[in-house]
DNA sequence: CTCCTTTTAATAGCAAGCTATGTATATATG
DNA sequence: CATATATACATAGCTTGCTATTAAAAGGAG
C-alpha cells in the first residue's frame, strides 16, 4: 500500500535504539540504586553542584515538570538535598549527598560499558560519523 | 574530574534525539487524534490486519505489557476492535476500524515530514550511513 | 486421560516523558 | 509605589516504557 517502512525510518530507529540504550543502562545502574534519568541528572551535578532546577532544565533539555519530578525522586532516594537560594526566594539550590558523590565512578563506568557494547560493530570512522550525525539531527529537530 | 561527556555519549544522544523525534511526531499527529505508540502500532496493522497482540510484540520489540496498554488505549479511542481468535481461546485478533484505516495517508505523511526535517542537514551518504549505523547499534544492544 | 509446562493476555505498580495549570516571588513599567 | 508581567517551581493528569505477577488456555509427557 504505502512505502513507509519502519526499518528505514530514522524516527522509528531512534526510538528503538533509545529504548535499548535505556534498558542496558537501567540494568547496569539498578544495583547502584539509580535510574537512567537520575544518572543523566547526576552527570550535571557531578560537574557542578549547587545549581538550580532551572539550570538543569536548560542543560539537559527536558521540560521543567519532568525535572521537578526527577528531582523529587532523587531527594526521596537520598541522592540530593535542596537549600534556599540566596537572593531568590523562588529558587532552591540542589546539592549532592555523599552517597551520590560516591556513585560517580561506578555509574560512569556502567554508562561507558553500554556505549562500548552499542558501538562495538562500528569502525572508528563510523563511530565518529554516527555521533556527528546525531548532533546534526538533534540540531535540525530543535530548529 | 571524569571525562564522561554527555555530548559524546551515544546513549545520551540517542535519548535526546528520540525525545525530539517523538515530540515532532506527536505534534503532527495530535490533530489526527493519534499518539506516537499508537502510530507505531498502526504501521503494523496497516500492513497486516487481524494479527494478535503477540505478533505486534514480536514485530515492534516492546514488552507484552506495554503493548497490552497501548492496545487498550487504541480500543478506547476507536482505532481497533478485537475478536475471539479462531482456534486459540487465549488470543484475540486485532482489527482496524474504518477511522484507523482512513488515517493512514495523513499519519504517514506526518511521520515522513519529521524524518525529512531530522535529516535535512545530512548528505545522502550521511543519511544512509546514519540509518545503517542505527541498525548496527540496535543489533549490538540486542545481542 | 492427567499433570506439568508453556503460552497468551491482563493487571498492578513504577519511572520518565509531556502539556497545562497554579502559586509565589522578582522585575519592570506607568 | 502600584500594578502588571515574567520567572521558578510544584502539581495534576496523561502516554509510553518497564518488571513482576496472575489467570486461563494449549500442548506435551507419562
Amino acid at each position: 500500500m504505502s512505502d513507509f517502512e519502519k526499518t528505514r525510518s530514522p524516527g522509528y530507529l531512534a526510538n528503538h535504539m533509545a529504548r535499548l540504550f535505556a534498558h542496558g543502562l537501567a540494568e547496569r545502574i539498578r544495583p547502584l540504586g539509580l535510574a537512567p534519568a537520575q544518572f543523566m541528572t547526576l552527570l550535571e551535578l557531578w560537574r557542578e553542584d549547587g545549581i538550580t532546577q532551572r539550570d538543569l532544565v536548560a542543560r539537559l533539555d527536558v521540560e521543567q515538570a519532568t525535572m521537578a519530578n526527577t528531582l523529587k525522586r532523587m531527594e526521596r532516594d537520598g541522592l540530593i538535598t535542596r537549600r534556599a537560594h540566596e537572593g531568590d526566594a523562588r529558587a532552591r539550590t540542589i546539592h549532592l549527598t555523599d552517597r551520590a558523590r560516591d556513585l560517580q565512578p561506578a555509574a560512569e563506568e556502567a554508562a561507558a560499558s553500554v556505549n562500548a557494547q552499542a558501538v562495538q560493530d562500528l569502525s572508528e570512522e563510523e563511530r565518529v560519523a554516527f555521533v556527528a550525525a546525531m548532533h546534526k539531527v538533534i540540531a535540525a529537530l530543535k530548529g
Side-chain angles (χ1 to χ4, degrees), chain A:
Chain A
M1 212 61 78
S2 166
D3 63 348
F4 198 97
E5 174 47 63
K6 70 179 191 297
T7 59
R8 279 177 220 159
S9 164
Y12 179 85
L13 294 170
N15 170 274
H16 193 181
M17 184 172 69
R19 285 191 284 117
L20 292 169
F21 265 114
H23 185 268
L25 180 62
E27 204 169 57
R28 287 169 172 85
I29 62 180
R30 191 176 310 128
L32 306 177
L34 292 180
Q38 296 180 347
F39 170 70
M40 178 172 89
T41 304
L42 287 176
L43 279 180
E44 290 305 316
L45 291 169
W46 286 325
R47 173 184 297 250
E48 185 181 357
D49 196 85
I51 59 180
T52 65
Q53 179 181 124
R54 176 185 172 284
D55 295 327
L56 287 168
V57 164
R59 295 180 198 192
L60 294 173
D61 198 23
V62 297
E63 288 302 317
Q64 175 266 322
T66 299
M67 185 51 67
N69 283 322
T70 295
L71 291 173
K72 195 193 300 184
R73 285 187 292 270
M74 292 176 75
E75 196 166 33
R76 177 200 66 192
D77 295 349
L79 294 166
I80 58 165
T81 58
R82 289 190 266 197
R83 302 184 204 147
H85 188 285
E86 307 175 20
D88 190 339
R90 296 169 301 179
R92 290 197 284 167
T93 55
I94 299 162
H95 305 268
L96 291 169
T97 61
D98 289 344
R99 162 162 135 66
R101 243 182 302 275
D102 292 346
L103 289 173
Q104 184 175 5
E108 290 191 351
E109 150 63 21
S113 118
V114 182
N115 283 335
Q117 179 185 341
V119 301
Q120 72 194 2
D121 296 330
L122 301 186
S123 69
E124 188 60 15
E125 288 102 8
E126 285 173 326
R127 197 188 57 67
V128 169
F130 177 54
V131 169
M134 285 198 285
H135 277 288
K136 282 192 192 178
V137 167
I138 287 168
L141 286 171
K142 284 174 83 166

Short mmCIF file of all heavy atoms in Angstrom, two decimals, chain A residues 4-35:
data_model
loop_
_atom_site.label_atom_id
_atom_site.label_comp_id
_atom_site.label_asym_id
_atom_site.label_seq_id
_atom_site.Cartn_x
_atom_site.Cartn_y
_atom_site.Cartn_z
N PHE A 4 5.99 3.32 3.45
CA PHE A 4 6.55 3.68 4.73
C PHE A 4 7.03 2.41 5.42
O PHE A 4 6.24 1.54 5.79
CB PHE A 4 5.51 4.40 5.61
CG PHE A 4 6.16 5.16 6.74
CD1 PHE A 4 6.41 6.51 6.63
CD2 PHE A 4 6.55 4.51 7.91
CE1 PHE A 4 7.02 7.22 7.65
CE2 PHE A 4 7.18 5.21 8.93
CZ PHE A 4 7.41 6.56 8.80
N GLU A 5 8.32 2.34 5.58
CA GLU A 5 8.93 1.12 6.11
C GLU A 5 9.67 1.48 7.39
O GLU A 5 10.59 2.27 7.38
CB GLU A 5 9.89 0.57 5.05
CG GLU A 5 10.69 -0.61 5.50
CD GLU A 5 9.85 -1.67 6.18
OE1 GLU A 5 8.97 -2.23 5.51
OE2 GLU A 5 10.07 -1.91 7.38
N LYS A 6 9.25 0.89 8.51
CA LYS A 6 9.80 1.33 9.78
C LYS A 6 11.30 1.13 9.89
O LYS A 6 11.99 1.92 10.50
CB LYS A 6 9.08 0.66 10.95
CG LYS A 6 9.33 -0.82 11.15
CD LYS A 6 8.55 -1.33 12.36
CE LYS A 6 8.95 -2.73 12.79
NZ LYS A 6 8.69 -3.77 11.80
N THR A 7 11.82 0.09 9.25
CA THR A 7 13.26 -0.16 9.39
C THR A 7 14.10 0.83 8.58
O THR A 7 15.32 0.82 8.66
CB THR A 7 13.62 -1.59 8.94
OG1 THR A 7 13.21 -1.77 7.58
CG2 THR A 7 12.90 -2.61 9.82
N ARG A 8 13.43 1.70 7.82
CA ARG A 8 14.17 2.75 7.10
C ARG A 8 13.83 4.12 7.66
O ARG A 8 14.31 5.13 7.15
CB ARG A 8 13.80 2.73 5.61
CG ARG A 8 14.55 1.68 4.84
CD ARG A 8 14.09 1.66 3.38
NE ARG A 8 13.99 0.28 2.90
CZ ARG A 8 13.25 -0.09 1.86
NH1 ARG A 8 12.57 0.80 1.18
NH2 ARG A 8 13.22 -1.35 1.50
N SER A 9 12.99 4.16 8.67
CA SER A 9 12.56 5.43 9.24
C SER A 9 13.49 5.85 10.37
O SER A 9 13.55 5.18 11.41
CB SER A 9 11.13 5.30 9.76
OG SER A 9 10.82 6.38 10.62
N PRO A 10 14.23 6.95 10.20
CA PRO A 10 15.12 7.41 11.28
C PRO A 10 14.39 7.56 12.61
O PRO A 10 14.94 7.20 13.66
CB PRO A 10 15.63 8.76 10.77
CG PRO A 10 15.56 8.65 9.29
CD PRO A 10 14.34 7.80 9.00
N GLY A 11 13.18 8.04 12.58
CA GLY A 11 12.44 8.25 13.82
C GLY A 11 12.13 6.95 14.53
O GLY A 11 12.29 6.83 15.75
N TYR A 12 11.70 5.97 13.76
CA TYR A 12 11.42 4.67 14.36
C TYR A 12 12.69 4.05 14.93
O TYR A 12 12.71 3.55 16.05
CB TYR A 12 10.80 3.72 13.31
CG TYR A 12 10.52 2.35 13.88
CD1 TYR A 12 9.35 2.10 14.56
CD2 TYR A 12 11.47 1.33 13.80
CE1 TYR A 12 9.10 0.86 15.14
CE2 TYR A 12 11.24 0.10 14.37
CZ TYR A 12 10.06 -0.13 15.03
OH TYR A 12 9.83 -1.35 15.62
N LEU A 13 13.76 4.11 14.16
CA LEU A 13 15.03 3.53 14.61
C LEU A 13 15.56 4.26 15.84
O LEU A 13 16.10 3.63 16.76
CB LEU A 13 16.06 3.57 13.47
CG LEU A 13 15.71 2.69 12.26
CD1 LEU A 13 16.65 2.98 11.10
CD2 LEU A 13 15.75 1.20 12.65
N ALA A 14 15.40 5.56 15.87
CA ALA A 14 15.87 6.34 17.03
C ALA A 14 15.12 5.92 18.28
O ALA A 14 15.72 5.76 19.35
CB ALA A 14 15.68 7.84 16.76
N ASN A 15 13.83 5.72 18.15
CA ASN A 15 13.03 5.29 19.30
C ASN A 15 13.48 3.91 19.78
O ASN A 15 13.70 3.70 20.97
CB ASN A 15 11.54 5.27 18.90
CG ASN A 15 10.66 4.60 19.94
OD1 ASN A 15 10.49 3.39 19.95
ND2 ASN A 15 10.11 5.39 20.86
N HIS A 16 13.63 3.00 18.84
CA HIS A 16 14.02 1.63 19.19
C HIS A 16 15.40 1.62 19.85
O HIS A 16 15.61 1.01 20.91
CB HIS A 16 14.02 0.77 17.93
CG HIS A 16 14.10 -0.70 18.17
ND1 HIS A 16 14.12 -1.63 17.18
CD2 HIS A 16 14.17 -1.41 19.32
CE1 HIS A 16 14.19 -2.84 17.70
NE2 HIS A 16 14.24 -2.74 19.00
N MET A 17 16.32 2.34 19.25
CA MET A 17 17.69 2.40 19.76
C MET A 17 17.71 3.01 21.17
O MET A 17 18.38 2.49 22.07
CB MET A 17 18.52 3.24 18.79
CG MET A 17 19.98 3.32 19.13
SD MET A 17 20.93 4.12 17.81
CE MET A 17 20.35 5.81 17.94
N ALA A 18 16.98 4.08 21.36
CA ALA A 18 16.97 4.74 22.67
C ALA A 18 16.39 3.82 23.74
O ALA A 18 16.86 3.80 24.88
CB ALA A 18 16.18 6.04 22.60
N ARG A 19 15.38 3.03 23.38
CA ARG A 19 14.82 2.09 24.36
C ARG A 19 15.85 1.04 24.75
O ARG A 19 15.94 0.66 25.92
CB ARG A 19 13.56 1.43 23.78
CG ARG A 19 12.35 2.35 23.77
CD ARG A 19 11.05 1.59 23.44
NE ARG A 19 10.92 1.26 22.05
CZ ARG A 19 10.86 0.03 21.55
NH1 ARG A 19 10.92 -1.03 22.35
NH2 ARG A 19 10.71 -0.18 20.26
N LEU A 20 16.62 0.57 23.75
CA LEU A 20 17.64 -0.43 24.06
C LEU A 20 18.77 0.16 24.90
O LEU A 20 19.26 -0.48 25.83
CB LEU A 20 18.18 -1.03 22.76
CG LEU A 20 17.18 -1.89 21.99
CD1 LEU A 20 17.72 -2.22 20.60
CD2 LEU A 20 16.87 -3.19 22.74
N PHE A 21 19.17 1.39 24.60
CA PHE A 21 20.18 2.06 25.42
C PHE A 21 19.68 2.19 26.86
O PHE A 21 20.39 1.90 27.82
CB PHE A 21 20.48 3.46 24.87
CG PHE A 21 21.66 3.54 23.95
CD1 PHE A 21 21.48 3.87 22.61
CD2 PHE A 21 22.95 3.33 24.41
CE1 PHE A 21 22.56 3.97 21.74
CE2 PHE A 21 24.04 3.42 23.55
CZ PHE A 21 23.84 3.75 22.21
N ALA A 22 18.45 2.66 26.99
CA ALA A 22 17.90 2.89 28.34
C ALA A 22 17.83 1.58 29.12
O ALA A 22 18.14 1.54 30.31
CB ALA A 22 16.51 3.53 28.23
N HIS A 23 17.44 0.52 28.42
CA HIS A 23 17.35 -0.78 29.08
C HIS A 23 18.71 -1.25 29.55
O HIS A 23 18.87 -1.72 30.69
CB HIS A 23 16.73 -1.79 28.11
CG HIS A 23 16.48 -3.13 28.72
ND1 HIS A 23 17.39 -4.15 28.66
CD2 HIS A 23 15.42 -3.61 29.41
CE1 HIS A 23 16.90 -5.21 29.29
NE2 HIS A 23 15.71 -4.91 29.76
N GLY A 24 19.71 -1.12 28.69
CA GLY A 24 21.06 -1.55 29.04
C GLY A 24 21.61 -0.75 30.21
O GLY A 24 22.24 -1.30 31.13
N LEU A 25 21.37 0.54 30.18
CA LEU A 25 21.86 1.39 31.27
C LEU A 25 21.12 1.07 32.57
O LEU A 25 21.73 0.91 33.63
CB LEU A 25 21.69 2.87 30.92
CG LEU A 25 22.16 3.86 31.98
CD1 LEU A 25 23.66 3.72 32.25
CD2 LEU A 25 21.81 5.30 31.59
N ALA A 26 19.80 0.96 32.47
CA ALA A 26 18.99 0.70 33.67
C ALA A 26 19.44 -0.58 34.37
O ALA A 26 19.56 -0.62 35.60
CB ALA A 26 17.51 0.59 33.28
N GLU A 27 19.70 -1.59 33.56
CA GLU A 27 20.13 -2.88 34.09
C GLU A 27 21.44 -2.74 34.88
O GLU A 27 21.60 -3.33 35.95
CB GLU A 27 20.36 -3.78 32.87
CG GLU A 27 20.27 -5.25 33.08
CD GLU A 27 20.26 -5.94 31.71
OE1 GLU A 27 21.22 -5.71 30.91
OE2 GLU A 27 19.30 -6.66 31.41
N ARG A 28 22.36 -1.94 34.32
CA ARG A 28 23.68 -1.82 34.94
C ARG A 28 23.71 -0.89 36.13
O ARG A 28 24.59 -1.02 37.01
CB ARG A 28 24.70 -1.34 33.89
CG ARG A 28 25.08 -2.41 32.87
CD ARG A 28 25.87 -1.75 31.76
NE ARG A 28 26.45 -2.67 30.80
CZ ARG A 28 25.82 -3.16 29.75
NH1 ARG A 28 24.56 -2.86 29.53
NH2 ARG A 28 26.44 -3.95 28.90
N ILE A 29 22.85 0.10 36.17
CA ILE A 29 22.89 1.04 37.31
C ILE A 29 21.85 0.72 38.36
O ILE A 29 21.87 1.32 39.44
CB ILE A 29 22.77 2.52 36.86
CG1 ILE A 29 21.44 2.79 36.17
CG2 ILE A 29 23.95 2.92 35.99
CD1 ILE A 29 21.27 4.24 35.72
N ARG A 30 20.98 -0.26 38.09
CA ARG A 30 19.99 -0.63 39.09
C ARG A 30 20.66 -1.10 40.39
O ARG A 30 20.21 -0.72 41.48
CB ARG A 30 19.04 -1.69 38.54
CG ARG A 30 17.82 -1.93 39.43
CD ARG A 30 16.83 -2.93 38.82
NE ARG A 30 16.51 -2.58 37.45
CZ ARG A 30 16.61 -3.42 36.41
NH1 ARG A 30 16.99 -4.66 36.59
NH2 ARG A 30 16.31 -3.02 35.19
N PRO A 31 21.75 -1.89 40.28
CA PRO A 31 22.44 -2.30 41.52
C PRO A 31 22.96 -1.12 42.33
O PRO A 31 23.17 -1.24 43.54
CB PRO A 31 23.62 -3.14 41.01
CG PRO A 31 23.20 -3.61 39.65
CD PRO A 31 22.34 -2.53 39.10
N LEU A 32 23.15 0.02 41.68
CA LEU A 32 23.63 1.21 42.40
C LEU A 32 22.46 1.99 43.00
O LEU A 32 22.65 3.01 43.66
CB LEU A 32 24.40 2.13 41.45
CG LEU A 32 25.56 1.48 40.68
CD1 LEU A 32 26.19 2.50 39.72
CD2 LEU A 32 26.62 0.94 41.63
N GLY A 33 21.24 1.54 42.70
CA GLY A 33 20.07 2.26 43.19
C GLY A 33 19.74 3.47 42.33
O GLY A 33 19.09 4.40 42.79
N LEU A 34 20.17 3.44 41.07
CA LEU A 34 19.94 4.57 40.17
C LEU A 34 19.05 4.18 39.01
O LEU A 34 19.02 3.03 38.59
CB LEU A 34 21.27 5.08 39.60
CG LEU A 34 22.26 5.74 40.55
CD1 LEU A 34 23.50 6.17 39.78
CD2 LEU A 34 21.62 6.94 41.24
N ALA A 35 18.35 5.17 38.47
CA ALA A 35 17.56 5.01 37.26
C ALA A 35 18.15 5.97 36.21
O ALA A 35 18.85 6.92 36.57
CB ALA A 35 16.10 5.33 37.53
#
